[in-house]
Amino acid sequence: MVKSSVLGYPRIGEQRQWKKALESFWNEQINEQQLLSQLQEIRLQHLSKQKEAGIDLIPVNDFSLYDQVLDTSTMLGLIPQRFQYNGGEVSTQLYYEIARGSKDATASEMTKWFNTNYHYIVPELGNIEPQLTVNRPLLAYQEAKQQLNIESKPVLLGLFTFVKLSKGYKADQFNTWIEKLLPLYVQILQQLEQAGVQWIQVDEPALVQQLSDEDLVIIQNIYSVLAQSAPKLQIMLQTYFESIERYEEIVQLPVAGIGLDFVHGAKQNLQHIKQSGFPANKVLGAGVIDGRNIWKANLSEQHQLLQSLKEKVGDEQLWVQSSCSLLHVPVSLTREDKLPEAIRNVMAYADEKLVEIVQLTQAINCVDIGYLTQIEQDKAAFAIFNNLEQRNQQQVYATIDDLKKTGLERSVPFANRYDEQQQKLELPILPTTTIGSFPQSLEVRQARQLWRKGEWNEERYNAFIEAEIDRWIIIQEQLGLDVLVHGEFERTDMVEFFGEKLGGFVFTKNGWVQSYGSRCVKPPVIYGDVTFNEPMTLKETVYAQEQTKKPVKGMLTGPITIMNWSFVRQDIAREEIAYQLAYALRQEVEALEAAGIPIIQVDEPAVREGLPLKSEEQQSYLDWSIRAFRMTTSSVQATTQIHTHMCYCDFHDMIASIESMDADVISIETSRSHGELIGSFEQNTYPQGIGLGVYDIHSPRVPAVAEMTSMIDRALQVLSPKIFWINPDCGLKTRKETETIDALRNMVTATLEAREKLQLQTVE
Ligand code: GLN
Ligand code: ZN
C-alpha cells in the first residue's frame, strides 16, 4: 500500500495560541511550567489532527519552542561562548537568550531559511566542544507514543545542511566540524533505533544546491556511518524547495528512502527518475502537495504523476507527501469566512492539504473515498475562479507586451540627468535624507485602528495624518535635512498598504505564517491580474510638499518586494506578475511626477531574498527583476530623481545588477556587513548616487557624531563625494521619537563636518 506522509506541520496553532504562549512567558505572565504545558497541549492537538485526517507517517520534533535550527544547535551543545554555558542541559531561559539576546549578550544572528520567508537562528560553531544535551527526536517520539499511541516519524535536521547553515568556521574546516558532530548524530540515531523507531526523516535541503565532489564524499561518509551505526532504523533522506543535485550519486546513498520535491523542481526531479531510474530497494517520498502556497492542488494531474511514479517504484515503496514542511502555509481555512467564495473554494491551508494528501493516497490505492467527487467539485470551482473578471484583464496584458518591446530606459543617460537634477534640486554636496518612515507611535497605530473600525470617519483620520505630517515636516526642517519625506503614517505595512489599493489582491483573516520566533506575517494573496485603480500615495505626498520649500521624496514599494511578500497565483509566471505590478506602480510614479513631486523612491528591500536556489537560474531572475523596476521608473523626465532602497542582505554579489536598475540614487542597508560592502566598491566603481547608511536603525542606541563621521570617511575613500548621500540605513518606523531626532541631529552634524573637511581639501 502507498502511504501518506507529512514533512512538518505549522506550530503557531489555529488561533496563534503558540505565539501567545511564548509572548506571555517572555512578559512573565506565565511561568515555565505553564508555558511547557500549554505548548504540549498544542503539540498533541496537532498530532491528533493529523491522525484523524488519516496521515500514516506523522512527523514529530518538527514542533519547537522557537526554531528548529536552534533546537538542533542547543541539542548538540553548540552554545556561543558569550552565554557562558558550562555544559549539561540547556535551560528554557538560555534557549530564549540565544534567540533574543540577554542583558549581557547579543542574540545570535537570524537569517532566511533557503528561499522562504522563515528565519532561522544561525548556529555559531566557533570554539566549542559539542555534546549531546538531549535527544529531542527521541523525546518527541516517546511523547507521541505514550500520549496518543502514535507510531510517529521523528524529524531531524541533517548534519550536512546543519553545518552548511552554520557560521564561525573557515571553509576548510567544514569537514572537521562534520567529523566532530557525526558521533553525536550516531548517538541520536542509535538511541532512536533502540527505542524501536521505524522511520526517521532526516532533512537535507542543502542537497538541492550546488554540490562539489568534496561535498559528495562528505555526504557519502555521513550516511554510510549513520546507516552502519543504526542498521535497523530506516532513514528517509528528505530534500525540498528544488530538485536535488548529483541525483545519481545521492539516490545510491545507503538510506531507506529519498524524499523529493515534485512541486518546486518537479521537472528536473522527474527527468532524473526517467533517465537514471530509482533504486529498487528504496522508498520514494513524492512531495506532490505544495507546502509553499495556498492554492488547492490539481488532484487529477498529481494523481497521474503518482501513477507514473508507482509504476516505477511499486506501491510498497511510494509515499504521498507534502513538498516540504507545512510550516510555510497558514493552518486552517475554517476561519476564513470573509473571503469571496469563488476564491476561498480554490484555496487550501495546511489542514486542507492534509485532506488532499489522504485523498490522493486513497485514490492511488484504489480505495476511492470522495476522490472522484472532489475532482469534479474542484473543476467547477476552478472554472468559476478562472472566469473572475479580475483574472481576465486583457488590456493589462496588451499594454505590458507593448512596454516590454521598448527598452524601458530613461530618456537621458545618468551623467546628463545628474546635472539637470542638480540644477533643479539645488542640493548641497553630501545631501542628507531618510528612508521614508518615521516612528509609528502608539497614537498613530491607535488612530489607524479607530478609523478601520469605523469609529473615526475619513475626515477625522485625514486630519490626524496631516497633523502628524505637519509636525514631522517641521522637525525635518529644524534638523536641517535636505530631502524630506512625509513619514508613512498612513501605512501599516509596506505591502499591505499597496495591496489594499490595487486590483487583483485579497486579504485573509487568518492566513498567518511564522516569520521568525513568535512573529507571524499575513501575506496578501495575489489572485488576479494586478490593476491600478487610483493614485495611492499622492494625497499625503502632495500635502507634505505643500508644507515646505525643500524637496519631498515620494515613497512606494517596488514590484518585486510586493510579489515576494505575497502568496501569488500559479497560472502565470512570477515574471509576468512582477510586470503587472510594475505597470501598476508606473502609473503611480507618473501621477506623483505630474503632481510636481521632484523625487520618487521605489523601495525594493526584498529583491535579494527572491533569488532562486539554483545558481544557473539566478541571473535570469535578476534580469527580469531589474526590468520590472525599470518598467516602474523609466517613464519620468530627466529632472525627476528616482531613488531606491534595499535591505536585509549582503549585496556585494549583485552590484552589477544594482547598477543596471539605473536609479539616480540608491540607499543600501549595511549595518551588519558595512565593511564588506564598502570593500566591494574598491573592486567596482559605482557611478550613480548612493547612500550607505551611516547608522544602524535596528538598535535604540543613539550613535555619536564620531561614529557616523568614521562611517562617512570610510565610504568617501572608495566613493566620490559627488555621488554620496547621507542617511540612516533603513526606515525609522520601529524607533522612538526622541531616539530618532537625536540620531538624525548627530547625522546632520557629522555631515556638516564632512562638508567642511571636503571644502578645506578643495581649497588646499
Ligand atoms: N520606505 C520604507 C520605510 O522607511 C522602507 C522599509 C524597508 O526598507 N523595509 O519604512
Ligand atoms: Zn530597509
Side-chain angles (χ1 to χ4, degrees):
M1 292 279 268
V2 175
K3 292 202 171 76
S4 57
S5 166
V6 168
L7 307 195
Y9 185 83
R11 49 185 78 119
I12 58 174
E14 218 171 291
Q15 293 171 282
R16 286 182 294 151
Q17 303 93 312
W18 181 84
K19 169 198 177 69
K20 285 164 201 159
L22 263 57
E23 289 174 359
S24 326
F25 175 66
W26 297 338
N27 298 331
E28 297 177 8
Q29 287 154 340
I30 59 172
N31 63 28
E32 184 176 346
Q33 209 54 47
Q34 289 166 310
L35 171 75
L36 297 179
S37 82
Q38 286 182 18
L39 293 187
Q40 186 184 41
E41 193 182 316
I42 299 171
R43 189 164 60 231
L44 293 177
Q45 231 174 38
H46 293 172
L47 297 183
S48 306
K49 235 189 206 181
Q50 294 175 74
K51 187 178 176 183
E52 276 156 32
I55 300 294
D56 298 314
L57 290 128
I58 298 173
V60 294
N61 195 42
D62 55 332
F63 194 86
S64 176
L65 268 67
Y66 195 95
D67 161 49
Q68 71 273 10
V69 181
L70 179 60
D71 290 346
T72 315
S73 41
T74 52
M75 173 167 74
L76 303 173
L78 299 168
I79 313 297
Q81 266 181 340
R82 62 184 179 282
F83 292 96
Q84 301 183 330
Y85 159 78
N86 291 318
E89 199 192 325
V90 176
S91 67
T92 307
Q93 189 191 337
L94 175 56
Y95 177 91
Y96 282 133
E97 281 177 1
I98 302 168
R100 309 177 63 232
S102 70
K103 276 203 314 304
D104 311 310
T106 50
S108 280
E109 193 184 314
M110 76 188 169
T111 197
K112 299 245 166 194
W113 174 247
F114 296 86
N115 57 354
T116 73
N117 211 346
Y118 177 84
H119 303 67
Y120 69 92
I121 300 289
V122 182
E124 299 173 37
L125 300 186
N127 191 12
I128 336 165
E129 250 341 281
Q131 51 168 291
L132 191 64
T133 64
V134 59
N135 189 336
R136 286 190 202 276
L138 179 64
L139 294 182
Y141 171 81
Q142 287 166 337
E143 180 187 63
K145 189 152 197 169
Q146 283 156 14
Q147 304 279 332
L148 300 167
N149 200 21
I150 291 176
E151 184 60 47
S152 65
K153 171 190 65 170
V155 181
L156 176 65
L157 180 56
L159 179 54
F160 181 76
T161 300
F162 178 78
V163 180
K164 280 268 165 187
L165 297 182
S166 301
K167 65 171 202 181
Y169 65 89
K170 294 203 189 73
D172 62 357
Q173 296 170 317
F174 182 74
N175 197 34
T176 317
W177 272 103
I178 296 278
E179 296 282 350
K180 249 195 216 183
L181 294 171
L182 188 53
L184 276 58
Y185 269 72
V186 167
Q187 236 178 307
I188 296 171
L189 264 57
Q190 283 178 338
Q191 290 173 6
L192 290 172
E193 183 187 43
Q194 269 164 24
V197 175
Q198 290 162 18
W199 280 97
I200 177 169
Q201 171 185 319
V202 180
D203 283 358
E204 289 282 20
L207 301 188
V208 308
Q209 285 182 300
Q210 211 153 46
L211 298 176
S212 65
D213 288 339
E214 296 89 72
D215 284 338
L216 204 64
V217 173
I218 292 171
I219 294 163
Q220 282 161 340
N221 173 49
I222 295 175
Y223 286 93
S224 62
V225 169
L226 292 180
Q228 275 164 26
S229 323
K232 290 206 288 293
L233 178 64
Q234 302 178 85
I235 296 176
M236 169 55 84
L237 183 68
Q238 186 61 54
T239 65
Y240 38 83
F241 300 151
E242 256 304 341
S243 60
I244 52 170
E245 293 288 313
R246 310 291 294 252
Y247 174 86
E248 286 175 32
E249 290 115 322
I250 296 293
V251 291
Q252 293 308 331
L253 290 173
V255 292
I258 306 274
L260 302 177
D261 192 330
F262 285 102
V263 177
H264 305 270
K267 221 170 109 198
Q268 290 93 323
N269 272 338
L270 261 177
Q271 202 167 5
H272 289 318
I273 292 187
K274 278 197 190 124
Q275 262 167 17
S276 321
F278 189 81
N281 53 352
K282 284 193 173 64
V283 169
L284 173 63
V288 292
I289 295 297
D290 194 354
R292 298 282 299 270
N293 213 334
I294 42 104
W295 305 107
K296 269 198 166 150
N298 183 331
L299 289 183
S300 58
E301 245 172 49
Q302 298 311 68
H303 184 250
Q304 260 173 32
L305 170 62
L306 287 167
Q307 199 67 44
S308 70
L309 293 174
K310 186 168 115 173
E311 279 156 26
K312 293 236 150 51
V313 302
D315 46 354
E316 289 310 317
Q317 257 132 258
L318 185 63
W319 293 359
V320 178
Q321 51 188 30
S322 53
S323 67
C324 61
S325 167
L326 299 175
L327 183 71
H328 309 290
V329 291
V331 181
S332 160
L333 266 181
T334 39
R335 278 162 218 281
E336 295 294 358
D337 47 12
K338 292 262 150 54
L339 279 176
E341 194 130 325
I343 300 173
R344 188 184 184 275
N345 284 345
V346 295
M347 285 169 64
Y349 289 175
D351 285 355
E352 292 74 29
K353 287 175 192 287
L354 296 180
V355 176
E356 293 186 328
I357 292 171
V358 172
Q359 279 175 337
L360 279 175
T361 312
Q362 287 170 341
I364 203 89
N365 282 329
C366 306
V367 278
D368 168 29
I369 314 183
Y371 165 75
L372 286 176
T373 30
Q374 188 67 52
I375 286 193
E376 287 312 309
Q377 265 178 29
D378 288 356
K379 250 194 209 147
F382 273 105
I384 294 172
F385 178 62
N386 286 330
N387 270 328
L388 290 175
E389 198 186 328
Q390 193 65 40
R391 282 173 68 84
N392 294 281
Q393 302 283 314
Q394 294 317 325
Q395 83 290 355
V396 168
Y397 290 86
T399 317
I400 289 174
D401 274 347
D402 289 344
L403 278 176
K404 277 198 258 182
K405 284 180 207 133
T406 71
L408 297 173
E409 267 156 28
R410 298 284 298 268
S411 54
V412 173
F414 174 77
N416 307 358
R417 284 188 334 246
Y418 176 84
D419 292 331
E420 290 185 41
Q421 290 168 13
Q422 284 298 104
Q423 263 179 17
K424 176 177 171 198
L425 296 168
E426 299 180 325
L427 294 173
I429 195 156
L430 305 180
T432 52
T433 190
T434 60
I435 305 304
S437 59
F438 283 126
Q440 291 257 331
S441 61
L442 189 61
E443 297 86 78
V444 170
R445 279 176 286 140
Q446 272 169 352
R448 219 169 25 229
Q449 269 174 11
L450 288 168
W451 167 68
R452 280 192 182 245
K453 276 193 251 155
E455 286 176 39
W456 275 18
N457 63 16
E458 198 71 28
E459 233 167 85
R460 178 143 185 218
Y461 178 65
N462 281 343
F464 174 86
I465 296 288
E466 287 182 358
E468 217 33 29
I469 295 176
D470 286 342
R471 215 161 62 74
W472 275 94
I473 290 287
I474 294 173
I475 295 174
Q476 293 176 84
E477 284 187 334
Q478 283 172 348
L479 284 168
L481 291 166
D482 301 306
V483 171
L484 312 194
V485 295
H486 79 280
E488 302 182 24
F489 305 108
E490 74 288 5
R491 305 183 189 175
T492 28
D493 167 297
M494 60 188 296
V495 172
E496 187 181 59
F497 177 81
F498 291 91
E500 281 180 341
K501 294 188 155 49
L502 291 165
F505 283 75
V506 278
F507 290 82
T508 66
K509 220 168 95 183
N510 208 28
W512 295 101
V513 289
Q514 188 188 356
S515 171
Y516 64 87
S518 69
R519 193 183 147 82
C520 300
V521 293
K522 197 153 62 70
V525 176
I526 302 181
Y527 76 94
D529 297 325
V530 177
T531 47
F532 175 84
N533 297 325
E534 56 179 2
M536 302 171 277
T537 64
L538 202 60
K539 192 173 63 191
E540 292 84 5
T541 317
V542 169
Y543 178 81
Q545 184 65 85
E546 282 164 2
Q547 314 310 311
T548 178
K549 292 208 168 57
K550 297 243 172 124
V552 167
K553 177 164 68 165
M555 192 65 54
L556 48 142
T557 306
I560 305 300
T561 298
I562 295 183
M563 178 182 70
N564 283 347
W565 286 349
S566 303
F567 284 122
V568 300
R569 61 194 288 191
Q570 289 179 310
D571 55 327
I572 65 175
R574 289 178 84 80
E575 178 175 356
E576 294 310 316
I577 299 171
Y579 292 139
Q580 290 192 354
L581 285 159
Y583 170 48
L585 295 169
R586 176 185 175 100
Q587 297 168 71
E588 181 73 16
V589 168
E590 287 169 356
L592 285 167
E593 180 182 57
I597 301 303
I599 305 181
I600 301 164
Q601 177 171 310
V602 177
D603 290 325
E604 281 290 24
V607 169
R608 181 62 163 73
E609 70 186 58
L611 206 61
L613 295 173
K614 299 279 188 200
S615 48
E616 62 272 22
E617 290 164 18
Q618 293 176 348
Q619 195 52 49
S620 135
Y621 164 83
L622 287 173
D623 289 347
W624 58 254
S625 297
I626 286 152
R627 271 204 299 280
F629 181 86
R630 289 164 60 143
M631 190 181 280
T632 309
T633 54
S634 58
S635 62
V636 294
Q637 289 161 23
T639 48
T640 297
Q641 192 167 69
I642 296 290
H643 288 218
T644 187
H645 168 72
M646 295 183 153
C647 50
Y648 302 136
C649 257
D650 304 335
F651 281 96
H652 48 278
D653 52 350
M654 50 182 283
I655 291 231
S657 300
I658 289 177
E659 203 176 317
S660 56
M661 291 168 86
D662 200 21
D664 297 302
V665 181
I666 179 166
S667 61
I668 307 182
E669 183 234 52
T670 49
S671 56
R672 276 169 239 153
S673 53
H674 201 88
E676 244 171 86
L677 190 74
I678 291 191
S680 63
F681 289 108
E682 283 161 3
Q683 277 102 48
N684 313 271
T685 51
Y686 188 81
Q688 311 196 186
I690 184 163
L692 288 186
V694 297
Y695 77 89
D696 175 8
I697 62 93
H698 302 89
S699 148
R701 203 175 64 88
V702 174
V705 176
E707 285 175 49
M708 300 201 218
T709 300
S710 92
M711 292 277 211
I712 297 170
D713 288 347
R714 267 167 66 198
L716 288 181
Q717 281 167 15
V718 291
L719 292 162
S720 155
K722 252 186 92 178
I723 56 158
F724 195 66
W725 282 65
I726 300 203
N727 48 262
D729 72 348
C730 196
L732 295 159
K733 62 167 163 270
T734 55
R735 295 273 62 87
K736 297 246 153 53
E737 180 161 332
T738 50
E739 284 154 31
T740 303
I741 294 174
D742 290 346
L744 289 175
R745 185 178 300 116
N746 288 355
M747 183 182 95
V748 173
T749 308
T751 308
L752 295 177
E753 285 173 12
R755 283 180 193 153
E756 222 162 282
K757 254 190 280 177
L758 285 172
Q759 241 149 21
L760 285 179
Q761 280 167 15
T762 42
V763 174
E764 280 162 20

